[in-house]
Coordinates of all heavy atoms in Angstrom, one line a residue:
P4 N -4.9 -12.0 -2.7 CA -4.8 -11.2 -1.5 C -3.4 -11.2 -1.0 O -2.7 -12.1 -1.3 CB -5.8 -12.0 -0.6 CG -6.7 -12.9 -1.5 CD -5.9 -13.3 -2.7
I5 N -3.1 -10.0 -0.4 CA -1.7 -9.9 0.1 C -1.6 -10.5 1.5 O -2.6 -10.5 2.2 CB -1.2 -8.3 -0.1 CG1 -1.9 -7.6 1.0 CG2 -1.3 -7.9 -1.4 CD1 -1.3 -6.2 1.3
P6 N -0.5 -11.0 1.9 CA -0.2 -11.6 3.2 C -0.5 -10.4 4.3 O -0.1 -9.3 4.0 CB 1.0 -12.1 3.3 CG 1.7 -12.0 1.8 CD 0.8 -11.1 1.1
E7 N -0.8 -11.0 5.4 CA -1.1 -10.1 6.6 C 0.1 -9.3 6.9 O 0.1 -8.1 7.3 CB -1.5 -11.0 7.7 CG -1.9 -10.1 9.0 CD -3.1 -9.2 8.9 OE1 -4.1 -9.6 8.1 OE2 -3.2 -8.1 9.5
S8 N 1.3 -10.1 6.8 CA 2.5 -9.2 7.3 C 2.8 -8.1 6.3 O 3.3 -7.1 7.0 CB 3.7 -10.3 7.2 OG 3.8 -10.9 5.9
L9 N 2.5 -8.3 5.1 CA 2.8 -7.2 4.1 C 1.8 -6.0 4.4 O 2.2 -4.8 4.4 CB 2.8 -7.7 2.7 CG 2.9 -6.6 1.7 CD1 4.3 -5.9 1.9 CD2 2.8 -7.3 0.2
R10 N 0.6 -6.4 4.8 CA -0.5 -5.3 5.0 C 0.0 -4.5 6.1 O -0.1 -3.4 6.2 CB -1.8 -6.0 5.2 CG -2.9 -5.0 5.4 CD -4.2 -5.4 5.3 NE -4.4 -6.6 6.3 CZ -5.6 -7.2 6.4 NH1 -6.6 -7.1 5.5 NH2 -5.7 -8.1 7.3
T11 N 0.5 -5.3 7.2 CA 1.0 -4.4 8.5 C 2.2 -3.5 8.1 O 2.2 -2.5 8.5 CB 1.5 -5.4 9.5 OG1 0.5 -6.3 9.8 CG2 2.0 -4.9 10.8
E12 N 3.1 -4.0 7.3 CA 4.2 -3.2 6.8 C 3.7 -2.0 6.1 O 4.2 -0.9 6.2 CB 5.1 -4.0 6.0 CG 6.3 -3.4 5.4 CD 7.1 -3.9 4.4 OE1 6.9 -5.2 4.1 OE2 8.2 -3.3 3.8
L13 N 2.7 -2.3 5.1 CA 2.3 -1.1 4.4 C 1.5 0.0 5.2 O 1.6 1.3 5.0 CB 1.2 -1.5 3.3 CG 1.8 -2.5 2.1 CD1 0.7 -3.1 1.3 CD2 2.7 -1.6 1.2
K14 N 1.0 -0.6 6.3 CA 0.2 0.5 7.2 C 1.2 1.4 8.0 O 0.9 2.4 8.2 CB -0.7 -0.3 8.1 CG -2.0 -0.7 7.5 CD -2.9 -1.4 8.6 CE -4.3 -1.7 8.1 NZ -5.2 -2.5 9.0
G15 N 2.4 0.8 8.3 CA 3.4 1.4 8.9 C 4.1 2.4 8.1 O 4.7 3.3 8.5
L16 N 4.1 2.3 6.7 CA 4.7 3.2 5.8 C 3.6 4.5 5.5 O 2.9 4.4 4.5 CB 5.0 2.7 4.4 CG 6.1 1.5 4.8 CD1 6.2 0.7 3.4 CD2 7.5 2.1 5.1
T17 N 3.5 5.3 6.5 CA 2.4 6.3 6.4 C 2.4 7.3 5.2 O 1.4 7.6 4.7 CB 2.4 7.4 7.6 OG1 3.9 7.9 7.6 CG2 2.3 6.5 8.9
H18 N 3.6 7.3 4.6 CA 3.5 8.1 3.3 C 2.9 7.6 2.1 O 2.4 8.2 1.1 CB 5.1 8.5 2.9 CG 5.8 7.3 2.4 ND1 6.3 6.3 3.4 CD2 6.2 6.7 1.3 CE1 6.9 5.4 2.7 NE2 6.9 5.7 1.5
L19 N 2.6 6.2 2.2 CA 1.9 5.5 1.2 C 0.3 5.7 1.3 O -0.4 5.7 0.4 CB 2.1 4.1 1.3 CG 3.7 3.6 1.0 CD1 3.7 2.2 1.1 CD2 4.1 4.2 -0.3
G20 N -0.1 6.0 2.5 CA -1.6 6.3 2.9 C -2.4 5.2 2.6 O -3.4 5.3 1.9
L21 N -2.0 3.9 3.0 CA -3.1 2.8 2.8 C -4.3 3.0 3.6 O -4.3 3.2 4.7 CB -2.4 1.4 3.4 CG -3.4 0.3 3.1 CD1 -3.6 0.0 1.7 CD2 -2.7 -1.0 3.9
Q22 N -5.4 3.1 2.8 CA -6.7 3.4 3.5 C -7.5 2.2 3.7 O -8.2 2.1 4.7 CB -7.5 4.3 2.5 CG -6.9 5.7 2.2 CD -6.7 6.4 3.4 OE1 -7.7 6.7 4.2 NE2 -5.5 6.9 3.6
D23 N -7.4 1.2 2.7 CA -8.3 0.0 2.8 C -7.7 -1.1 2.1 O -7.0 -1.0 1.1 CB -9.7 0.3 2.3 CG -10.7 -0.6 2.6 OD1 -10.6 -1.5 3.5 OD2 -11.9 -0.4 2.2
Q24 N -8.1 -2.5 2.4 CA -7.8 -3.6 1.6 C -9.0 -4.5 1.6 O -9.5 -4.9 2.7 CB -6.6 -4.2 2.2 CG -6.0 -5.2 1.2 CD -5.7 -6.6 1.9 OE1 -5.6 -6.7 3.0 NE2 -5.8 -7.6 1.0
K25 N -9.5 -4.8 0.4 CA -10.5 -5.7 0.3 C -10.1 -6.7 -0.7 O -9.9 -6.5 -1.9 CB -11.9 -5.0 -0.2 CG -12.3 -3.9 0.8 CD -13.6 -3.1 0.3 CE -14.0 -2.0 1.2 NZ -15.1 -1.2 0.5
E26 N -10.0 -8.0 -0.3 CA -9.6 -9.1 -1.1 C -8.4 -8.7 -1.9 O -7.3 -8.5 -1.4 CB -10.9 -9.6 -1.8 CG -12.0 -10.0 -1.1 CD -13.1 -10.5 -1.8 OE1 -13.1 -10.5 -3.1 OE2 -14.1 -11.0 -1.2
N27 N -8.7 -8.6 -3.2 CA -7.6 -8.3 -4.2 C -7.4 -6.8 -4.5 O -6.8 -6.5 -5.5 CB -7.7 -9.1 -5.3 CG -7.7 -10.6 -5.2 OD1 -7.9 -11.1 -4.1 ND2 -7.8 -11.4 -6.3
R28 N -7.8 -6.0 -3.6 CA -7.9 -4.5 -4.0 C -7.3 -3.8 -2.8 O -7.7 -3.8 -1.7 CB -9.3 -4.0 -4.3 CG -9.3 -2.7 -5.0 CD -10.7 -2.4 -5.5 NE -11.5 -2.3 -4.3 CZ -12.6 -1.4 -4.3 NH1 -12.9 -0.8 -5.3 NH2 -13.4 -1.3 -3.2
L29 N -6.2 -2.9 -3.2 CA -5.6 -2.0 -2.1 C -6.0 -0.6 -2.6 O -5.9 -0.2 -3.8 CB -4.1 -2.3 -2.2 CG -3.5 -3.5 -1.8 CD1 -2.2 -3.7 -2.2 CD2 -3.6 -3.7 -0.3
I30 N -6.4 0.2 -1.6 CA -6.8 1.6 -1.8 C -5.7 2.5 -1.0 O -5.7 2.4 0.2 CB -8.1 2.0 -1.4 CG1 -9.1 1.0 -2.3 CG2 -8.5 3.5 -1.7 CD1 -10.6 1.2 -1.8
F31 N -5.0 3.3 -1.8 CA -3.9 4.2 -1.0 C -4.4 5.7 -1.3 O -5.1 6.0 -2.4 CB -2.6 4.1 -1.8 CG -2.0 2.7 -1.5 CD1 -2.3 1.7 -2.5 CD2 -1.1 2.4 -0.4 CE1 -1.8 0.3 -2.4 CE2 -0.6 1.2 -0.3 CZ -0.9 0.1 -1.3
T32 N -4.1 6.6 -0.4 CA -4.1 8.1 -0.6 C -2.8 8.5 -0.4 O -2.5 8.9 0.8 CB -5.1 8.7 0.3 OG1 -6.5 8.1 0.1 CG2 -5.3 10.2 -0.1
P33 N -1.8 8.4 -1.3 CA -0.4 8.7 -1.0 C -0.1 10.2 -0.7 O -1.0 11.1 -1.3 CB 0.2 8.4 -2.3 CG -0.7 8.3 -3.5 CD -2.0 8.0 -2.7
Q34 N 0.8 10.6 0.0 CA 1.3 11.9 0.2 C 1.9 12.5 -1.1 O 2.2 11.8 -2.0 CB 2.3 12.0 1.5 CG 1.7 11.6 2.8 CD 2.7 11.6 3.9 OE1 4.0 12.0 3.7 NE2 2.3 11.2 5.1
K35 N 1.8 13.8 -1.2 CA 2.1 14.6 -2.4 C 3.5 14.0 -3.1 O 3.6 14.1 -4.3 CB 2.2 16.1 -2.1 CG 0.8 16.7 -2.0 CD 0.9 18.2 -2.1 CE -0.6 18.9 -2.0 NZ -0.6 20.3 -1.9
D36 N 4.4 13.8 -2.2 CA 5.8 13.5 -2.7 C 5.9 12.0 -3.0 O 7.0 11.6 -3.4 CB 6.9 14.1 -1.8 CG 6.7 13.6 -0.5 OD1 5.8 12.9 -0.1 OD2 7.7 13.8 0.4
T37 N 5.0 11.3 -2.9 CA 5.0 9.9 -3.2 C 4.3 9.5 -4.6 O 3.1 9.9 -4.8 CB 4.2 9.1 -2.1 OG1 4.8 9.3 -0.8 CG2 4.3 7.5 -2.3
E38 N 5.0 9.1 -5.4 CA 4.5 8.6 -6.8 C 3.9 7.3 -6.7 O 4.1 6.4 -5.9 CB 5.7 8.7 -7.8 CG 6.5 9.9 -7.9 CD 5.5 11.0 -8.5 OE1 4.6 10.7 -9.2 OE2 5.9 12.2 -8.4
V39 N 2.9 7.1 -7.7 CA 2.2 5.7 -7.9 C 3.3 4.7 -8.2 O 3.2 3.6 -7.6 CB 1.3 5.9 -9.0 CG1 0.7 4.5 -9.4 CG2 0.1 6.9 -8.8
S40 N 4.3 5.1 -8.9 CA 5.3 4.2 -9.2 C 6.2 3.6 -8.0 O 6.6 2.5 -8.0 CB 6.4 4.8 -10.3 OG 7.1 6.0 -9.8
D41 N 6.2 4.6 -7.0 CA 6.8 4.1 -5.7 C 6.2 3.0 -5.0 O 6.7 1.9 -4.6 CB 7.0 5.2 -4.8 CG 7.8 6.4 -5.2 OD1 8.7 6.2 -6.1 OD2 7.6 7.6 -4.8
I42 N 4.8 3.1 -5.1 CA 4.0 2.0 -4.5 C 4.1 0.7 -5.4 O 4.3 -0.4 -4.7 CB 2.4 2.5 -4.5 CG1 2.4 3.8 -3.7 CG2 1.6 1.5 -3.8 CD1 0.9 4.4 -3.6
V43 N 3.9 0.9 -6.5 CA 4.0 -0.3 -7.5 C 5.4 -1.0 -7.3 O 5.4 -2.2 -7.2 CB 3.8 0.1 -9.0 CG1 4.2 -1.1 -9.9 CG2 2.5 0.5 -9.2
S44 N 6.5 -0.2 -7.2 CA 7.8 -0.8 -7.1 C 7.9 -1.5 -5.8 O 8.4 -2.7 -5.8 CB 8.8 0.2 -7.2 OG 9.0 0.8 -8.4
L45 N 7.4 -1.0 -4.7 CA 7.5 -1.6 -3.3 C 6.6 -2.9 -3.5 O 7.1 -4.1 -3.0 CB 6.9 -0.7 -2.4 CG 7.1 -1.2 -0.9 CD1 7.2 0.0 0.0 CD2 5.9 -2.0 -0.4
L46 N 5.5 -2.9 -4.0 CA 4.6 -4.1 -4.0 C 5.3 -5.2 -4.9 O 5.3 -6.4 -4.4 CB 3.3 -3.8 -4.4 CG 2.4 -3.0 -3.7 CD1 1.0 -2.6 -4.4 CD2 2.1 -3.8 -2.4
T47 N 5.8 -4.9 -6.1 CA 6.4 -6.0 -6.9 C 7.6 -6.4 -6.3 O 8.1 -7.6 -6.5 CB 6.7 -5.4 -8.3 OG1 7.5 -4.2 -8.2 CG2 5.3 -5.1 -9.1
G48 N 8.3 -5.6 -5.5 CA 9.6 -6.0 -4.8 C 9.2 -7.0 -3.7 O 10.3 -7.8 -3.3
R49 N 8.0 -7.0 -3.3 CA 7.7 -7.9 -2.2 C 6.9 -9.2 -2.8 O 6.4 -10.0 -2.1 CB 6.8 -7.4 -1.2 CG 7.3 -6.1 -0.5 CD 8.3 -6.5 0.4 NE 8.7 -5.4 1.4 CZ 9.4 -4.4 1.0 NH1 10.0 -4.4 -0.2 NH2 9.7 -3.4 1.9

């Protein structure tokens, strides 16, 4: 599971479109100009 602080940060990044988080699963609906690789890079960077 990801830390609460990171979840708050992800929610603030509206272009990522974080919809839900259940235990070890994150669900995003990213905006059109946001690539899946952008989300992956951000998470691995954290």
